[in-house]
Amino acid sequence: LPWWPLYLRELGASVETTGFLFMFFGFIRIFMPFPGGILADRFGRKKVILLGTALRIVTPLLYLFARTWQELIPGLITNALLLYGPSSYAIVQESLPAERRTTGFGVIQTMLVLCSSVAMVFGGVIMDGMGVVDGTRIILTAMVISFSIVLVVRHKFLSETLDTKKLARKPGLSLRGLQIRGSVLGMLV
């Protein structure tokens, strides 16, 4: 969120602290796709997506009640626990026919950028009108409401694409079958 550094400053964080918090947030997020993928392969995509969406409700609530930058740290941690990224990609891939997958991903990415861009403009208008702290709290309240609606909609309409009956028969977690192919390794570099 482009206004986040302003909010941190209003709650007493220095420029250095703000930079450290962004680094801390990014560092946690580096490690989340791997356990998110393991959880999705073990328990199903829908369950991980619902868990991640529920965390999206908790995060703004934690931010909403913070009165100092130190009280934002639990929210930063839950916000960084974005476990459902791999599940979201897998469910789209498994739901669309092979010849439509790229288009499907393109539509999703376009919608994300479009919605984010419009939301940032509205957020700026709210901030200009109400100030950074009060404006942020209004936006956080709107986030709690919108993520609650998203959770209900996802619970009701999202279909599991992984055969969880096969998973129930597999004992424990094994990484033996995990392979990194040259093309995947090339993408990482």
Side-chain angles (χ1 to χ4, degrees), residues 8 11-13 17 21 62 66-76:
L8 287 168
L11 295 184
T17 299
L21 291 174
L62 292 171
R67 297 297 179 249
T68 67
W69 68 266
Q70 294 92 338
E71 293 173 1
L72 292 172
I73 293 173
L76 283 172

Side-chain angles (χ1 to χ4, degrees), residues 140-182:
L140 292 171
T141 301
M143 289 172 71
V144 169
I145 294 167
S146 64
F147 283 128
S148 297
I149 292 168
V150 168
L151 180 62
V152 170
V153 169
R154 284 180 173 172
H155 184 267
K156 184 170 178 137
F157 295 107
L158 193 63
S159 298
E160 179 59 64
T161 58
L162 188 66
D163 186 355
T164 53
K165 291 175 188 160
K166 288 181 182 176
L167 291 177
R169 288 182 259 144
K170 291 184 180 177
L173 175 66
S174 172
L175 298 180
R176 273 186 294 182
L178 184 64
Q179 295 180 4
I180 298 179
R181 300 187 190 280

Side-chain angles (χ1 to χ4, degrees), residues 25 55-56 58-60 62-63 73-82:
F25 172 75
L55 286 173
R56 290 280 166 235
V58 171
T59 297
L62 292 171
Y63 290 155
I73 293 173
L76 283 172
I77 293 169
T78 60
N79 193 23
L81 297 177
L82 187 58

Side-chain angles (χ1 to χ4, degrees), residues 41-126:
D41 286 343
R42 179 72 180 128
F43 299 106
R45 282 82 164 103
K46 183 175 178 177
K47 286 179 183 176
V48 174
I49 289 171
L50 293 176
L51 172 64
T53 306
L55 286 173
R56 290 280 166 235
I57 297 167
V58 171
T59 297
L61 282 173
L62 292 171
Y63 290 155
L64 191 59
F65 296 109
R67 297 297 179 249
T68 67
W69 68 266
Q70 294 92 338
E71 293 173 1
L72 292 172
I73 293 173
L76 283 172
I77 293 169
T78 60
N79 193 23
L81 297 177
L82 187 58
L83 296 170
Y84 67 82
S87 297
S88 297
Y89 288 120
I91 215 163
V92 169
Q93 180 176 343
E94 294 163 353
S95 298
L96 294 174
E99 66 275 4
R100 296 284 184 205
R101 288 184 188 147
T102 306
T103 302
F105 282 110
V107 168
I108 289 170
Q109 291 301 315
T110 300
M111 293 304 297
L112 288 172
V113 170
L114 179 64
C115 292
S116 296
S117 298
V118 170
M120 286 183 214
V121 171
F122 282 121
V125 169
I126 292 169

